[in-house]
Amino acid sequence: MILLVVGVFLLLFLWEAPGLVAKEYWRELAVFTILLLIGLVFSLLLVGGVELPYIESFWIKVFAKVGKALTPGS
Amino acid sequence: MDQGKISAGQLTLLIMSFTIGSWVVLPTGIQAWQNLWLIMFMGLGTGLLFAYLSLFLFRRFPGKTLFEIHERVYGPVLGKFISLCFLWFFLQTGGGTLAIFKTLLRSTVFTATPDLAILVPLILILVYGCRRGIEVIARSNQLLIMSTVGLVLVSILLVVNIFNPENLLPFFNLPFSEVIWTSISLAVFPFGQNVLFMMILPRVNRWQKVNGAVLKGMIGAGLVLSTIQFLAVGVLGKSGQILVFPTYEFYRMINIAQFLTRLELIPLLNFLTMGFIKTILCLYALAVGTAQVFNLRTYRPLALPFGLFLLLVAERIFPSISEHMRYLEEVQTFFGLIFSLLLPMMTLGIALLRGLPRRRMAP
Amino acid sequence: MTGKLQRRKRLKKGQGLLLLLFLVLAGGCWDRRELENLAVVLGMGVDFPAQGEGYEVSFQIVRASQIQTPGSGVGGGGGGESKPVWLLRSTGPTFFEAVRNATFQSSRRLFLSHNQVVIISTEVAKKGILPALDFLIRDPGPRNTQWLLLTPDDPGQLLDAAAGLERVSALAITDLIQDYHLTSKIRPVKIGDYVEMMMQKTSANTLPVIRIKENAGKKELLLDGTGVLKDDRLVGFLNYKETRGLLWILGEVKGGLITVDLPGGGKATCEIFTAATKVKVEARADQVHVKIEVKVETGLGAQTTYDDLSTTGQLKKLETLQGKAVEDEIRAALAKAKEYKADIFGFGEYLFKHDFRTWQRLQKEWERYFVDAQVEIKVEAKVEGIGLVTRPANYQAPEE
């Protein structure tokens, strides 16, 4: 499964990169690669079964804390 | 950068689709269920106030996207940081929309289809459309929003035999504070999310017409949403309050002489296309925004990684629809207010204080 | 020229995007189910199992091949083989489990989307209906247009009873229910209506009752009155007359007959052409006042005397008698509902809709207000038709 994910990402990279190299868009290539790597890391974490926090659950917790801090005495 | 241009009319239609987007299948403010269609107009009014604040900012910097304005007002470092916050907002909005439609499909018709089988093809199409530019998006949207409006008009005729006006009573049985709260939460979502169009306004071919286009788009969307809500209350009555997807259920009820029944798939697909436009605009704003933050010459290669991000977000945004409903109730309004009101207001305030823009710029 | 060409090209691209979008629907094939692999359920019965906990659900499943050739089974048919339906019983701790457990016996997966009727045993109804039926409301398959019925008998046996002229008893029940307007002595209720009523705090629900009638050794179906459910639990029954009273108040009388005793002996039966009801609920000084106005137009259909009822004077008398009869029915329904302390008429709902503030004040003790409610009934009956004859053939006018 992990190999499959890495393979897919490699394929995506090879599909996009040559065009950018040919046009000498180096900055674009760098940003693209970094973003893809971030995506790869998170995908691997997900596939690897790491329990990433759910985004909205995270916000609910944060805002509950903020709300408590803003209402003193309770 | 995208050189495509859209007309003011196309902008109006895009705003309509974007606003109808996901609210139509998962309404917020469900505690006000019976009066929601009326409060919708109050929300629209408040939402227009927010929008005009942002538009005022845009008219001071015509031809600039929100992120370019940030850099001019706050300087490069702080400006980029605020832009990054907005990027997160777009990512969460787009991913959330995908997740809602995924949940809707999974809990109604595609009950056995795996998440990825729904999301991956959708993402590929989103990326393809995003790379084609705003012109193609706007053009495909024309047909989709027309059919949605048509559908809403036709559904008025289809429900005459099951519509019970008594269900709309009583009007205004809510405490005043709840009405105000609901209208603010409606102003933030669906209307407030239109702050995303600050990334797209410079692509309108005549910037003088932008104000009118935004006004028309938001009013149009408000009318569509209010009509659907009005019909849903009349058909479903109070029991709509316990449904997760009231609009879908309302279309399930349609029954003309035992013959014209089970029409719910048509609106389902139709609203899916609204969500599609909403997500693709989020993706476009993400790619273009990031390209501007990093001073890139083209946004196109970024569409693919951000499509992937949307997929990841959609998978990890809420563990279940009930958690999402809790989020809508408790957090969404505050979270959205930061982006659709507070940050634009701050930017405008600082721009005014600093007397920006100093030189008159060519539009 | 090139500009136009380019524009056309771009338009094509926009359409391409749309076409691609519809590709997403291909994902729906994941859950593809073919008709020949499905067991189409038309009727369901819910009961408690003889032993143990949970629910026993009976399914009436159609044998599709038998339905398609209706003529084939007529000439004797060859015993149980040719029966167009198959009755399957399955138990489970919840309704859902019972549905899934049916696959222990059925070679095909049950398909509930076309189900027409759900029959609930009174035992289950006494314990609460929503806990039993939650699956049917929550799951996207079954529709909320299914008819709900109560039965004092075993729901499974009821579904297995002879369907009269129809081949499938569930469809026969659907027809029986939908013919309610011929008598207006039955009140059909859909699952969706039931849930809607439950959302209203002060209202009580009713469900039609169906039972088995033995006729020359054969089991047949009979619609028999109405069950009253308060707070989702069965508390009592209404007979035909009381059910009619309920329908008068709800304004759901669409037809039917009114029979009155004539002062000089004998009876006259009139058919209801049109009926309209206006209800008004007001709360004054700690008492609820209800005004019920019924307007009904009828036609003389049969008489069992030799008198001439067709004169204007006689028709006037008939009208008054009919008004009395209707009022009687309404009073009977009111008395029963007050006895059960169940607001089956939606008086509370009327207040909720038209006078929200008062409703808020009264709703906590609505039961008390309902029982103490003052009801004023006004019936305006009109006899419009007399059929094809005026007086009986041997009628002799009394000599003056």
Side-chain angles (χ1 to χ4, degrees), chain B residues 302-320:
Chain B
L302 303 184
L304 189 65
F306 275 115
L308 266 166
F309 282 13
L310 283 179
L311 180 72
L312 291 172
V313 169
E315 277 296 302
R316 286 313 279 192
I317 190 157
F318 47 74
S320 73

Side-chain angles (χ1 to χ4, degrees), chain B residues 15-239:
Chain B
I15 287 178
M16 278 180 74
S17 297
F18 185 82
T19 313
I20 293 170
S22 56
W23 195 92
V24 70
V25 292
L26 195 74
T28 52
I30 209 87
Q31 71 278 359
W33 170 253
Q34 257 165 327
N35 298 316
L36 207 47
W37 64 277
L38 273 172
I39 300 176
M40 178 61 76
F41 291 109
M42 296 175 66
L44 173 63
T46 323
L48 278 173
L49 276 179
F50 295 2
Y52 268 79
L53 204 78
S54 292
L55 278 173
F56 189 58
L57 186 64
F58 173 71
R59 288 183 80 92
R60 286 188 77 83
F61 299 89
K64 297 269 175 223
T65 68
L66 185 62
F67 289 8
E68 288 167 321
I69 297 172
H70 283 156
E71 291 206 19
R72 280 190 65 88
V73 172
Y74 297 106
V77 181
L78 192 58
K80 278 189 204 309
F81 174 73
I82 292 178
S83 298
L84 282 177
C85 293
F86 267 96
L87 282 178
W88 175 258
F89 178 64
F90 298 156
L91 189 64
Q92 204 183 318
T93 308
T97 310
L98 269 186
I100 288 168
F101 278 93
K102 177 199 79 187
T103 315
L104 174 62
L105 287 174
R106 290 280 323 260
S107 49
T108 53
V109 280
F110 296 178
T111 43
T113 313
D115 282 1
L116 286 183
I118 298 173
L119 287 178
V120 169
L122 202 57
I123 295 279
L124 290 178
I125 301 163
L126 284 169
V127 170
Y128 167 81
C130 180
R131 289 171 67 102
R132 288 276 165 228
I134 192 75
E135 271 192 42
V136 169
I137 298 173
R139 198 161 283 146
S140 44
N141 175 54
Q142 279 173 327
L143 194 68
L144 298 177
I145 184 70
M146 290 300 178
S147 56
T148 302
V149 173
L151 175 87
V152 171
L153 293 180
V154 169
S155 41
I156 295 175
L157 294 178
L158 287 177
V159 300
V160 278
N161 61 338
I162 48 172
F163 185 86
N164 181 5
E166 283 259 304
N167 283 340
L168 294 164
L169 295 171
F171 294 130
F172 288 118
N173 59 338
L174 292 173
F176 190 64
S177 60
E178 202 158 312
V179 172
I180 294 294
W181 171 246
T182 310
S183 65
I184 289 177
S185 71
L186 284 179
V188 172
F189 171 64
F191 297 110
Q193 294 188 338
N194 282 329
V195 71
L196 179 135
F197 280 90
M198 288 292 280
M199 301 302 295
I200 292 163
L201 291 184
R203 299 263 67 81
V204 179
N205 53 12
R206 296 178 62 193
W207 65 273
Q208 296 90 336
K209 283 193 170 176
V210 158
N211 274 14
V214 171
L215 181 72
K216 272 189 264 174
M218 285 177 68
I219 290 179
L223 280 175
V224 168
L225 292 178
S226 179
T227 310
I228 290 181
Q229 195 55 35
F230 178 81
L231 296 178
V233 173
V235 169
L236 295 172
K238 267 184 94 102
S239 56

Side-chain angles (χ1 to χ4, degrees), chain B residues 157-358:
Chain B
L157 294 178
L158 287 177
V159 300
V160 278
N161 61 338
I162 48 172
F163 185 86
N164 181 5
E166 283 259 304
N167 283 340
L168 294 164
L169 295 171
F171 294 130
F172 288 118
N173 59 338
L174 292 173
F176 190 64
S177 60
E178 202 158 312
V179 172
I180 294 294
W181 171 246
T182 310
S183 65
I184 289 177
S185 71
L186 284 179
V188 172
F189 171 64
F191 297 110
Q193 294 188 338
N194 282 329
V195 71
L196 179 135
F197 280 90
M198 288 292 280
M199 301 302 295
I200 292 163
L201 291 184
R203 299 263 67 81
V204 179
N205 53 12
R206 296 178 62 193
W207 65 273
Q208 296 90 336
K209 283 193 170 176
V210 158
N211 274 14
V214 171
L215 181 72
K216 272 189 264 174
M218 285 177 68
I219 290 179
L223 280 175
V224 168
L225 292 178
S226 179
T227 310
I228 290 181
Q229 195 55 35
F230 178 81
L231 296 178
V233 173
V235 169
L236 295 172
K238 267 184 94 102
S239 56
Q241 238 170 339
I242 59 169
L243 299 170
V244 182
F245 302 111
T247 318
Y248 172 78
E249 194 65 35
F250 142 63
Y251 278 101
R252 253 163 76 110
M253 301 285 287
I254 288 176
N255 181 349
I256 305 277
Q258 306 283 334
F259 169 67
L260 217 53
T261 60
R262 309 185 178 202
L263 298 175
E264 66 268 16
L265 271 183
I266 299 166
L268 184 71
L269 298 179
N270 213 304
F271 297 143
L272 179 73
T273 62
M274 294 293 99
F276 171 78
I277 294 293
K278 183 167 177 179
T279 320
I280 204 169
L281 286 173
C282 288
L283 181 57
Y284 180 81
L286 277 168
V288 169
T290 315
Q292 282 178 347
V293 168
F294 293 104
N295 298 322
L296 306 185
R297 279 160 288 183
T298 173
Y299 75 94
R300 288 201 169 80
L302 303 184
L304 189 65
F306 275 115
L308 266 166
F309 282 13
L310 283 179
L311 180 72
L312 291 172
V313 169
E315 277 296 302
R316 286 313 279 192
I317 190 157
F318 47 74
S320 73
I321 196 75
S322 46
E323 180 85 347
H324 180 59
M325 286 160 108
R326 186 169 156 216
Y327 170 83
L328 287 178
E329 206 174 295
E330 293 176 10
V331 178
Q332 162 76 46
T333 310
F334 300 108
F335 188 73
L337 265 181
I338 298 174
F339 292 98
S340 43
L341 184 66
L342 294 182
L343 284 177
M345 201 158 76
M346 194 167 90
T347 312
L348 183 64
I350 292 176
L352 288 175
L353 275 180
R354 290 183 58 187
L356 288 171
R358 288 218 181 77

Side-chain angles (χ1 to χ4, degrees), chain A residues 9 12 15-16 20 24-28 31-32 35-36 38-39 42-43 46 51-57 59-60 63, chain B residues 88 92 131 294-298 301-302 304-306 308-309 312-313 316-319 323-324 326-327 330-331 334-335:
Chain A
F9 273 80
L12 294 177
W15 181 55
E16 191 72 63
L20 294 174
E24 301 190 344
Y25 277 10
W26 303 119
R27 281 180 72 92
E28 286 76 3
V31 174
F32 171 73
L35 286 177
L36 212 57
I38 297 173
F42 278 101
S43 306
L46 264 186
E51 274 293 310
L52 298 173
Y54 283 99
I55 293 164
E56 290 186 348
S57 313
W59 286 127
I60 289 174
F63 276 82
Chain B
W88 175 258
Q92 204 183 318
R131 289 171 67 102
F294 293 104
N295 298 322
L296 306 185
R297 279 160 288 183
T298 173
L302 303 184
L304 189 65
F306 275 115
L308 266 166
F309 282 13
L312 291 172
V313 169
R316 286 313 279 192
I317 190 157
F318 47 74
E323 180 85 347
H324 180 59
R326 186 169 156 216
Y327 170 83
E330 293 176 10
V331 178
F334 300 108
F335 188 73

